[in-house]
Amino acid sequence: MDSLSDIAVFIQVVDSGSFTAAAERLSLSKSVISKYVTRLEDRLGARLLNRTTRKLSLTEVGRAFYERSERGLQEIAEAEAEVSRLQGEPRGTLRINAPMSFGVLHIAPVLPEFLERYPQLTVDMNLDDRKVDVIEGGFDVSVRISDLGDSSLVARRIGPCRHVVVASPAYLKRYGIPRTPEDLEDHNVITYQYQDSAKEWEFRLPGQKPSMVSVSGSIQMNNSLALREALLNDAGITRTPTFVVGRDIQEGRLQSVLTNYELPEISIYLVFPQRKYLSPKVRVFVEFMREYISDTPSWDQKTKVDR
């Protein structure tokens, strides 16, 4: 078993890029990590890593050993996951990555129900509006709200992500309701930093070709929850997902405009590393979130809109 432990630590060092980062991920001291790797090299009679004070790199032998060993450990993990799947209750820690707004609004509130349903599970959730590397970050599953193009990941669609152009009633009373996309030129548009085409928006009337409109304003943000607060405080107008503002529209705190135009629609996915077997903890989380969101999310139902 020492051999497998040494190999697992070696792989973690390579994936992390340093002994220090590997020590933090494994909750071990840097000296213990070094001991594992040295013991592995001594047993193999070969140097696997070139160590300098500034850089860590694989030797030629080390790279070949890493590639074979990484596949081998993955096969072991998949075998264990399959046994667990066949034998029962999901257990262990589910590491989730999600955008800040979606995690706060739509994952955190339902975690108690999820954990009550699967009491052998614990959850470690990381919230970050930037796109993270699922494998490098050590996550079991990540929420992606986009059009996916990364073939190295497995994706499961759990629902739609619709967008609206929205502002507070007080803002619209003061500055007027835009009737065409071109009217946005006369408005203070709040833009979201991580959104594709943040300052050039696409609109389409049913049956017609899409048109692009340039927008600008005095506020740019990198977090949808902060953007929502600015809207509620009459700071401007924006385009944002309904999962952020749907409740506010339903309850009259915000008002959607330009509703006769179609906006691009993307999807909400759960993505995870490519594996032969889907681990039980990820499988039940996918099923649970699909059940919660569906193709008609609660935040898209009975929404008050300006016609």
Side-chain angles (χ1 to χ4, degrees), residues 105 164-173 177 190 224-257 259 299 302-306:
L105 295 173
V164 287
V165 178
V166 65
S168 70
Y171 172 89
L172 294 172
K173 182 177 181 180
I177 298 175
I190 306 171
S224 294
L225 294 178
L227 187 149
R228 172 180 173 270
E229 288 299 316
L231 289 173
L232 291 171
N233 286 279
D234 314 324
I237 191 168
T238 196
R239 178 187 67 179
T240 195
T242 54
F243 73 75
V244 176
V245 296
R247 299 291 189 202
D248 298 308
I249 297 172
Q250 291 168 353
E251 296 171 13
R253 291 184 294 273
L254 294 175
Q255 182 176 343
S256 59
V257 298
T259 55
W299 56 80
K302 298 180 180 178
T303 300
K304 296 178 182 179
V305 296
D306 173 70

Side-chain angles (χ1 to χ4, degrees), residues 34-299:
S34 180
K35 178 181 176 182
Y36 275 92
V37 175
T38 298
R39 185 168 61 190
L40 177 62
E41 289 179 326
D42 290 344
R43 184 167 55 251
L44 294 173
R47 177 171 289 279
L48 303 176
L49 294 169
N50 292 315
R51 305 166 176 82
T52 68
T53 56
R54 293 187 177 183
K55 188 177 180 181
L56 189 70
S57 62
L58 286 164
T59 64
E60 183 178 356
V61 171
R63 179 165 300 281
F65 184 78
Y66 167 80
E67 292 173 354
R68 293 288 295 272
S69 298
E70 196 275 338
R71 289 197 298 270
L73 286 185
Q74 185 62 57
E75 287 291 332
I76 292 173
E78 290 174 356
E80 290 178 345
E82 179 64 3
V83 170
S84 177
R85 185 186 71 80
L86 293 173
Q87 292 198 341
E89 194 76 7
R91 62 185 68 245
T93 298
L94 177 67
R95 297 200 68 227
I96 304 169
N97 163 258
M100 180 73 70
S101 56
F102 191 84
V104 169
L105 295 173
H106 301 296
I107 298 182
V110 299
L111 283 181
E113 180 183 348
F114 176 69
L115 294 174
E116 183 177 359
R117 193 179 297 186
Y118 303 104
Q120 300 302 315
L121 281 176
T122 59
V123 169
D124 178 359
M125 184 164 68
N126 172 276
L127 300 178
D128 194 331
D129 282 338
R130 295 169 298 180
K131 183 179 178 180
V132 303
D133 188 309
V134 179
I135 298 173
E136 183 177 338
F139 296 108
D140 296 301
V141 62
S142 178
V143 178
R144 293 280 173 85
I145 303 172
S146 65
D147 293 320
L148 292 179
D150 191 343
S151 60
S152 67
L153 298 173
V154 180
R156 296 287 187 272
R157 184 181 183 275
I158 59 174
C161 177
R162 302 182 177 98
H163 287 75
V164 287
V165 178
V166 65
S168 70
Y171 172 89
L172 294 172
K173 182 177 181 180
R174 182 176 180 181
Y175 295 102
I177 298 175
R179 299 298 179 183
T180 69
E182 289 71 22
D183 290 342
L184 292 172
E185 295 177 2
D186 300 324
H187 285 268
N188 187 40
V189 176
I190 306 171
T191 54
Y192 175 59
Q193 182 177 338
Y194 296 138
Q195 192 173 54
D196 292 339
S197 302
K199 295 188 177 182
E200 192 173 29
W201 295 357
E202 179 183 311
F203 292 88
R204 181 201 302 265
L205 285 170
Q208 297 187 21
K209 293 182 178 181
S211 61
M212 305 300 293
V213 174
S214 296
V215 298
S216 62
S218 59
I219 302 175
Q220 177 176 278
M221 294 185 172
N222 67 353
N223 180 271
S224 294
L225 294 178
L227 187 149
R228 172 180 173 270
E229 288 299 316
L231 289 173
L232 291 171
N233 286 279
D234 314 324
I237 191 168
T238 196
R239 178 187 67 179
T240 195
T242 54
F243 73 75
V244 176
V245 296
R247 299 291 189 202
D248 298 308
I249 297 172
Q250 291 168 353
E251 296 171 13
R253 291 184 294 273
L254 294 175
Q255 182 176 343
S256 59
V257 298
L258 300 174
T259 55
N260 53 323
Y261 289 85
E262 298 174 351
L263 300 180
E265 181 178 317
I266 53 180
S267 294
I268 305 169
Y269 294 93
L270 295 180
V271 301
F272 33 90
Q274 181 76 257
R275 293 193 179 113
K276 186 176 181 180
Y277 302 111
L278 187 60
S279 71
K281 59 186 179 182
V282 172
R283 174 176 51 82
V284 296
F285 184 68
V286 172
E287 292 171 354
F288 181 84
M289 292 305 296
R290 273 180 168 172
E291 175 186 325
Y292 166 60
I293 295 178
S294 76
D295 282 327
T296 310
S298 60
W299 56 80

